[in-house]
Amino acid sequence: MFKQRVLTALLLAPLALLAVFYLPLAGFAVFVSVAFTLGAWEWSGLCGLANRTMRAMYTGLTAVILLILYALQPVALQYLFADTLTLTLIIAGVVWWLLAVILVLSYPRSQVFWGQRDWLKALLGWLTLVPAWSAIVFVRGLDYQQAEFTGAWLLFGLLGLVWAADIGGYIIGKPFGKHKLLPKVSPGKTLEGMLGGMAFVLLMVSAVGYWQGWPADIGYWYLAAIGLAALSVFGDLTESMFKRAAGKKDSGAFLPGHGGILDRIDSLTATAPLYALLLALFGGFN
């Protein structure tokens, strides 16, 4: 299982980076849309749509939503506040993930509000996927006319943060994890693993800060990184909560050793909207 997990990761990481840096904006949007549409198929299995026809309809409708957004959202948007649709979606994503943190912390009591409402779980699936899609496409297109790879490097920073939190959590949590974080949600998550992931993220920020000559606003980088790293953990925990409610171990079986697509992008869907909003507010793009 571990060997299979490593081999899959060694294939996925370069594929993601090739898409980020070398696909044109339109091709990149299609790449992300395919991944998120597969994620929608998996989510349909978590929200009570046991009938394959209903699951296909949910997945197809998700694809249509992303297609409409692709037609309406500028793929190279320099200033977030210049486009009401993109801004609304990203803020909706940030609000949803703040609510998701509360739902996770109060689980299983929170299940009373959403556990028996399949339509609500389907809606929460769109709140998970659609704002994240919009945020990722927005970040990749930042400053595209002036510098083609600015958005790619910014998106690489987000991926690096998520990967650092995941790797640090595994490396520290696996041998040293003693205190369960939220055992009713995910028995495997430990406090030590979460702190290990944050430590790896701070090391990554320090390396970038050193490479950039320690910018004056490096303190804000650290604060943002800590917040995003914590949110990445709750992205994982939120999916675990829905899987537990649905009686599933993995969201799907698309990726050998990793489970499903959602199991790989849950932290990314949680952090992308906030990351995009922080870039819009403090990134100097205007």
Side-chain angles (χ1 to χ4, degrees):
M1 183 72 171
F2 178 75
K3 180 180 178 181
Q4 196 175 44
R5 182 184 178 94
V6 170
L7 289 174
T8 303
L10 289 175
L11 174 64
L12 289 178
L15 181 63
L17 293 178
L18 285 171
V20 168
F21 281 95
Y22 293 107
L23 284 179
L25 288 184
F28 176 74
V30 170
F31 176 84
V32 178
S33 298
V34 170
F36 276 48
T37 300
L38 292 175
W41 169 262
E42 293 177 351
W43 189 278
S44 69
L46 302 180
C47 63
L49 302 181
N51 184 292
R52 292 181 68 87
T53 301
M54 292 296 293
R55 292 185 66 183
M57 289 176 62
Y58 180 81
T59 305
L61 186 53
T62 303
V64 170
I65 291 172
L66 297 183
L67 180 62
I68 293 173
L69 286 179
Y70 175 74
L72 296 178
Q73 176 176 325
V75 293
L77 179 62
Q78 181 73 7
Y79 187 50
L80 177 61
F81 297 92
D83 186 74
T84 304
L85 175 62
T86 309
L87 176 63
T88 301
L89 286 172
I90 288 175
I91 290 177
V94 172
V95 171
W96 152 237
W97 282 106
L98 293 176
L99 175 61
V101 170
I102 297 173
L103 294 179
V104 169
L105 290 175
S106 59
Y107 183 83
R109 296 191 306 277
S110 65
Q111 194 174 355
V112 173
F113 300 102
W114 54 267
Q116 301 304 316
R117 296 178 172 88
D118 293 345
W119 65 268
L120 179 57
K121 286 184 282 186
L123 176 61
L124 295 180
W126 283 327
L127 280 174
T128 297
L129 296 169
V130 175
W133 180 94
S134 182
I136 290 169
V137 171
F138 163 70
V139 172
R140 179 60 186 91
L142 272 172
D143 211 31
Y144 192 79
Q145 285 80 9
Q146 288 71 35
E148 182 180 347
F149 292 106
T150 298
W153 282 110
L154 290 170
L155 198 52
F156 176 65
L158 175 60
L159 291 173
L161 185 148
V162 169
W163 291 342
D166 189 43
I167 293 170
Y170 185 84
I171 290 176
I172 302 300
K174 195 71 172 177
F176 303 112
K178 303 296 182 185
H179 300 87
K180 301 296 184 183
L181 188 60
L182 289 169
K184 292 181 179 179
V185 178
S186 179
K189 289 286 183 184
T190 63
L191 178 61
E192 292 83 358
M194 185 182 75
L195 294 176
M198 287 188 173
F200 270 55
V201 167
L202 293 178
L203 285 174
M204 186 195 79
V205 173
S206 298
V208 175
Y210 175 78
W211 179 50
Q212 293 289 327
W214 299 108
D217 58 352
I218 188 69
Y220 295 108
W221 292 18
Y222 282 117
L223 289 175
I226 291 172
L228 288 165
L231 194 57
S232 76
V233 173
F234 277 94
D236 192 328
L237 288 170
T238 299
E239 194 209 344
S240 295
M241 178 179 70
F242 283 103
K243 288 191 296 186
R244 180 166 286 269
K248 294 179 180 288
K249 181 179 181 296
D250 296 315
S251 62
F254 283 116
L255 307 175
H258 285 269
I261 297 291
L262 283 176
D263 295 317
R264 291 300 90 208
I265 66 171
D266 48 14
S267 296
L268 183 62
T269 57
T271 52
L274 179 59
Y275 185 75
L277 188 59
L278 290 174
L279 284 176
L281 292 172
F282 308 109
F285 300 97
N286 50 56

